[in-house]
Amino acid sequence: MATYSVAPHLNGRNPSGPNLPNKRIEPATSVELAGSGVTSVFPNRRDAGVSDKHGPNWLNGFLFWLRRKDKGWSPDRGSAQHMREREQRKSPALVATGRHAGHSRVEYIQKHYLFLHAWKRDFFHAAIHTPLYAVLAVMAVIYTATFFFFGLLWWGILRKYGECVSNNNNETGFVTALIFSVVTEQTIGYGNTYPNECWAAAWLIMVQSVLGMIMDAITIGIVFARISHPKQRGRTIAISDSAVISRRDGILKFMFRIADIRRTQVIEPQVKAYLYTWGEGRNTAEGEHIPVRIESLEIGYIDGQLLLPLIEEHTIDERSPLCGHTYMSLKSVNAEIVVTFEGTTEFGNPFMARQSYLMDEIMWGHQFNQIIYHPEPEDTRYRIDFSSFHSTSPQDGLEGMGSQEERCLRVLRPDITTVPYPLLGENTLVISDSLVLCPGADSKPRLQVRIGDTYPNQHVEISVRVYIYRWITTDVSGIPQDYSVEQLEVGYETGSDRLLLWLPMIVTHVIDDDSPLCNWRDPDTVLSDSDATIVVVVEGYMYAAGTNRMRMRMFHTQQDVHPNHIFSPVVTAPSVSADYKPRVDWSKFHEVVALQSDELKSPHLEHVSKSWGALSDSYGSAMQLPNGDGELDDATVTLKPGQLAGVMSNPELLHQLTGHRGTRAPEAGHIHLTPDTDPENTFRTRQANRRPRVRFEELFAPDDSTHGDEAKTPATDANQEQGQSQV
């Protein structure tokens, strides 16, 4: 299996824990993937590790002691602040947080009947999950009741058959019978007083002894199972009381932190997460109402040793239920994420721990504080500052944003371009954030996009597909259409798109007479595609995880296609390196440069660039904002066909409409539409068995109101019904 080595310090600032200074470190990170022969140089990053000289001191211990004074704070469940906020806001939740984290808050209406049913049909497990003090109290009452019950029976025998008990000195009181009952059931020993050959005494001794053994077996079994139950082992598994949604190396992720406080190893640990969304629910086509939707969140790799606290990640991409969601959309559907940790003790007993996150408890644009520190020069142990286990802080550039909405908008639309970090098992495919339109040697324009894999050779059998979507009202034959889609040939039909991304590659589509973009060769028709969208899909098989991975990006032709440009070179030849290995500068992966020489430039492409630019200026100057003051109000902005290019070319207007600045092409998740993120609720408001029946003739009938009031004969209605059924 391929391994990688990382330089000890990455560019950026050391994440400072309590009382730790921010220190600048070396601005370089070189990652060499064993077996690939490629050394990758990555752009500036935050130190993933720890400080060599600084760590928790007496002040950290004092702060930890102060935090323990909070009655609602515990190492595994954190502060009770979220629990108090839920109570103040009256927020519904499936699972409790804070002091009672992990407990189910689902209440059944017929709880008394179900309680009796559970004790009747599942007595042992119901008794095990009963509090220990209640179990002991009930058993004491039952034992006392049996003593008195059999004491009454022995009292009757002593009064009627006094000869059945020897050496009782003619004592026939109830106290004597009660003591004889206790001695018989507990097998203490009769002593001088013992039963004689009497059938009444013999039968009573047999019944009481058997009943006593059964009660002892049940009591010992319940108490032992209750004491040895690994439920409390889950209290040594800490799950952060808040989660974060932020970016790591440009990839949007949902993250939370877990840790094992004990030093004993957990066998086969598993972490699962589920998203519960409510809202108004939905109705199926058959009329069934489904009030809640439950979807699983795929959690990445988990260290089976749990030697160090881990930050678990869920990648928010096209496969994620969180794809396309924002803070407001998740809050509008009362979303709740439930995280479950499952494991087995060294004695083979399974246990679990659980935590719940509402949307106000998921911090957008935050990161967990640093808690892992290198040992001191004289020490040999790594140290964990557990006082900051549940703490988060805003990422760089988001410190001044107080509201969740602002941070969510900034996280979803980053200003910088990045590439995935080379981690085994992660989706490391990357697509350039722009397209270039460059001239070819045969005077045929080339549309190019750059793709790569930051972990070389992790994905195999890679295929690339490119599509162009044109937003039209009718097709060439005049039939109404919403859009048209055509595939751009980049080797998919011939099979030459099966790529090996040992190094970044540039995928090319030649614009010839057979190309769907042949109209781009005509200056008079190129403007018809000014608001078209080009979609690039990269798929590959990840052999490490045994699954298929995909990366998709959308490009707006007028904004994201750069005529007379080329991609900046990123690969250095092996001959210029000491170890004779090619170098990849991933910091320039998205960079494009303009052709400066007139000999290299294409006059036609220059005309295309000027035409799109002029169209942008025309739309940008003619576009009026709703309130006329240069700012947007709460009114809805509706763009007519063809005005999209004007909006995309106006950075300020674009930022106010979508929160997106710059020229970066959006990822698929930015415009992903789900039933919960659809503003028109088209999925939720559809009515069952009420599908409209539109006559085919009405699609092409002229808008003439004079024909609508004419009387129709029964024959005409019958003919129309017949024609409708045929359609």
Side-chain angles (χ1 to χ4, degrees), residues 105-123:
R105 300 189 72 254
V106 179
E107 182 178 355
Y108 291 93
I109 298 177
Q110 300 83 6
K111 59 181 180 180
H112 301 292
Y113 170 77
L114 297 177
F115 175 80
L116 297 176
H117 177 78
W119 276 93
K120 179 180 178 181
R121 299 300 181 183
D122 192 14
F123 167 77

Side-chain angles (χ1 to χ4, degrees), residues 239-240 242-244 254-258 271-273 299 310-313 339 357 368:
I239 304 178
S240 58
S242 60
V244 299
F254 165 76
M255 294 174 284
F256 56 93
R257 183 148 58 186
I258 62 173
V271 178
K272 302 177 182 179
I299 302 299
L310 301 176
I311 297 180
E312 294 297 323
E313 303 177 356
V339 174
Y357 304 109
F368 286 100

Side-chain angles (χ1 to χ4, degrees), residues 3-7 9-11 27-45 419-423 428 430 452-458 501-504 570-572 577 579-589:
T3 58
Y4 63 92
S5 59
V6 185
H9 290 295
L10 308 177
N11 190 27
T29 300
S30 298
V31 180
E32 180 175 345
L33 307 180
S36 65
V38 180
T39 300
S40 300
V41 181
F42 286 84
N44 300 340
R45 303 187 188 277
V419 295
Y421 195 75
L423 294 176
T428 52
V430 59
D453 188 354
T454 57
Y455 198 110
N457 303 334
Q458 180 174 202
L501 291 182
W502 180 54
L503 296 171
V570 296
V571 180
T572 303
S577 59
D579 55 358
Y580 207 76
K581 295 180 181 179
R583 295 297 196 270
V584 180
D585 187 1
W586 291 100
S587 63
K588 298 181 180 180
F589 179 83

Side-chain angles (χ1 to χ4, degrees), residues 40-41 78 131 226 698 712:
S40 300
V41 181
R226 187 66 180 82
E698 293 180 358
K712 298 181 180 180

Side-chain angles (χ1 to χ4, degrees), residues 476-531:
V476 293
S477 59
I479 299 178
Q481 296 288 343
D482 297 328
Y483 64 91
S484 67
V485 56
E486 294 182 272
Q487 184 172 350
L488 307 183
E489 174 59 33
V490 291
Y492 183 77
E493 295 181 357
T494 61
S496 59
D497 63 327
R498 296 300 190 268
L499 306 177
L500 178 65
L501 291 182
W502 180 54
L503 296 171
M505 299 186 64
I506 296 178
V507 180
T508 302
H509 169 70
V510 180
I511 304 178
D512 53 15
D513 295 336
D514 298 329
S515 170
L517 304 180
C518 60
N519 59 317
W520 290 20
R521 304 176 65 180
D522 188 354
D524 298 331
T525 59
V526 68
L527 294 179
S528 61
D529 288 340
S530 59
D531 61 346

